[in-house]
Amino acid sequence: MMKNISSAIISLFIYLFTVTKTYAHEVYVLTPERFSDGLKTYTQNPFSTLFTKQHISITILIFVSLVSFYALSYVLLKTKWGYFFSHHVEKLARFGKPILRLSLGISLIFSAFSHSLFGPELSIAKYSLAPFIEIALYLSGFMFIFGFFIQIAAPLALSLFLYAFFTFGFYTITYIGYAGVILFFMLDKKKFNTQILLRILLGIGLLYTAYTIKIQHQHLFTDVYNQYRLQQFFQLDSIFASSIAGVLELGVGLFVIFGFTLIPTLFILLLFLTFFLFYLGENLWPHIIIYGISIYLFLNQFSSKKRIAK
C-alpha cells in the first residue's frame, strides 16, 4: 500500500511540474494582456439578461433543478442507503487533517517553483525579495508535507500571505483559502472552532472570484466561453452563461460560509472546478488547496453530525 501511495505522490509531482505554463482560474487561459484589459471593463446591469423573455424560462428551469437536486440529496441522506454511505465516510474523517496539511504543503512548494505567491498570476520574479520568499515557501511547504514544526511553518506561511496582500492588493482575496488553512493549523489546538473559520474563508474567496470575474468584469468570462466554444457544451449564450455562473458561484460561496447543505454544495463546487480544470487545461496546483479544503469539510460534515435513517 505504501508503495502505491508513493507512486501516486510521485506521479502527482510529475504532472504538476509539466503544466506550469497555464494559469489558475478559468479566465487565466487568456493572455496577460487580455486579462488586464478585461479588468478595466466593467459590466453594466450584469443580472438583466437573466430575466429577459429569451432567458427567463431557462433561469427558472435552472433554479427549479437546483432546488430539486438539494431536496433529493437531503432525502437520500435520510434513507438507509444514505446512512450506510455516511457511516463509511465517517470512518475516513481522520484522514481529513492530513489531506488538508498535504494540500497546503504541495501548493506552497509549487508556488515557489513557479516563482509566484499562491497563484501563477501573482508573480514575484521581478521583486528583490523573491529568492528569500521562495526559500520560505519551500521551507514551510516541506514542513507541512512531513508534519514537522507546524507551529513554525504556519506563522511563516501566514507572513507570506500578508506580504502578498500588501503587494498585490485585494486581488489576493482570490486565494484567501490559503490563509484559512494556515490559520486552521495555527489555532487547531487552542479550543477554537477552526472548521468554521476554514469554511468562512473558503466561501469569501468564492464570493470574491464570482463577483470580480463573472459579474463585475463579464468580458473576461465571455472571452473564455467563446474562445473554447463552451456554447456547444452548455447551449447557452456567453453573457447569460456568465451571469448564471456568477449567481451560482455566489450561492455556493454563501452556502459554504453559513454551512448550509454542505454535502451537495461541495459536490457542485468540485464538479464544475474539475470540469474547467481539464476542459480548459488550467494549472492544477492552485486548485489543490480548494480540493483539500472541500474534502476536509466533506469528511467532517459526516463525522460532526450523525444522520439517523428513517
Side-chain angles (χ1 to χ4, degrees):
M1 183 177 179
M2 288 302 297
K3 183 178 180 180
N4 292 335
I5 294 175
S6 299
S7 299
I9 293 175
I10 292 172
S11 299
L12 175 61
F13 270 69
I14 292 173
Y15 177 76
L16 288 167
F17 270 110
T18 58
V19 292
T20 54
K21 292 185 179 180
T22 52
Y23 292 90
H25 302 295
E26 59 266 11
V27 299
Y28 303 134
V29 294
L30 301 173
T31 63
E33 292 76 18
R34 289 176 67 186
F35 177 68
S36 298
D37 290 341
L39 289 177
K40 298 174 184 177
T41 306
Y42 292 83
T43 303
Q44 302 295 324
N45 303 318
F47 301 113
S48 60
T49 185
L50 299 176
F51 306 104
T52 62
K53 291 182 180 180
Q54 180 183 359
H55 296 129
I56 185 64
S57 59
I58 303 176
T59 302
I60 294 174
L61 177 62
I62 292 174
F63 177 76
V64 171
S65 299
L66 283 172
V67 172
S68 301
F69 171 74
Y70 275 91
L72 179 62
S73 65
Y74 177 81
V75 172
L76 288 176
L77 287 171
K78 293 292 185 179
T79 63
K80 291 183 179 180
W81 286 106
Y83 177 77
F84 177 82
F85 176 74
S86 62
H87 176 70
H88 284 78
V89 172
E90 184 183 350
K91 296 179 180 179
L92 301 175
R94 68 180 186 274
F95 296 110
K97 193 178 293 185
I99 289 173
L100 197 60
R101 179 169 52 78
L102 286 172
S103 67
L104 176 58
I106 292 172
S107 299
L108 291 174
I109 288 172
F110 282 97
S111 179
F113 176 76
S114 63
H115 310 293
S116 60
L117 264 177
F118 307 108
E121 72 280 15
L122 303 182
S123 175
I124 57 173
K126 65 179 181 180
Y127 295 99
S128 58
L129 292 176
F132 302 100
I133 293 172
E134 291 173 11
I135 291 173
L137 285 168
Y138 278 122
L139 186 62
S140 57
F142 281 113
M143 284 181 178
F144 275 112
I145 286 177
F146 294 105
F148 297 146
F149 306 110
I150 297 299
Q151 294 307 312
I152 296 176
L156 178 60
L158 183 62
S159 67
L160 293 172
F161 187 84
L162 293 174
Y163 176 84
F165 182 80
F166 287 111
T167 302
F168 300 102
F170 284 101
Y171 180 81
T172 313
I173 296 174
T174 302
Y175 298 104
I176 202 169
Y178 279 94
V181 180
I182 294 166
L183 290 171
F184 175 92
F185 286 103
M186 288 182 66
L187 303 173
D188 187 35
K189 297 181 179 180
K190 300 184 184 297
K191 297 182 179 180
F192 188 87
N193 196 327
T194 50
Q195 185 171 330
I196 292 179
L197 176 66
L198 190 65
R199 202 179 66 219
I200 289 174
L201 292 184
L202 173 62
I204 290 174
L206 294 172
L207 290 177
Y208 181 83
T209 303
Y211 178 75
T212 304
I213 303 301
K214 299 179 179 69
I215 296 174
Q216 190 177 34
H217 306 288
Q218 280 191 349
H219 290 288
L220 289 169
F221 186 86
T222 57
D223 281 352
V224 175
Y225 193 87
N226 293 327
Q227 178 178 326
Y228 284 84
R229 301 179 181 179
L230 288 171
Q231 186 170 355
Q232 297 179 5
F233 188 89
F234 292 105
Q235 298 298 308
L236 302 170
D237 68 73
S238 59
I239 299 296
F240 177 79
S242 181
S243 298
I244 199 68
V247 170
L248 292 177
E249 193 169 344
L250 287 174
V252 168
L254 288 172
F255 279 22
V256 169
I257 287 175
F258 293 104
F260 181 69
T261 59
L262 271 183
I263 294 170
T265 299
L266 292 172
F267 175 80
I268 292 173
L269 170 62
L270 294 180
L271 177 66
F272 281 95
L273 179 67
T274 304
F275 170 79
F276 282 107
L277 175 67
F278 288 101
Y279 190 89
L280 302 182
E282 297 177 36
N283 204 333
L284 174 61
W285 71 260
H287 297 84
I288 291 177
I289 197 72
I290 300 179
Y291 280 104
I293 296 173
S294 299
I295 292 172
Y296 173 85
L297 292 175
F298 181 83
L299 295 178
N300 281 271
Q301 180 69 7
F302 285 104
S303 65
S304 61
K305 185 178 179 180
K306 291 186 177 180
R307 303 178 186 276
I308 301 175
K310 290 184 179 180

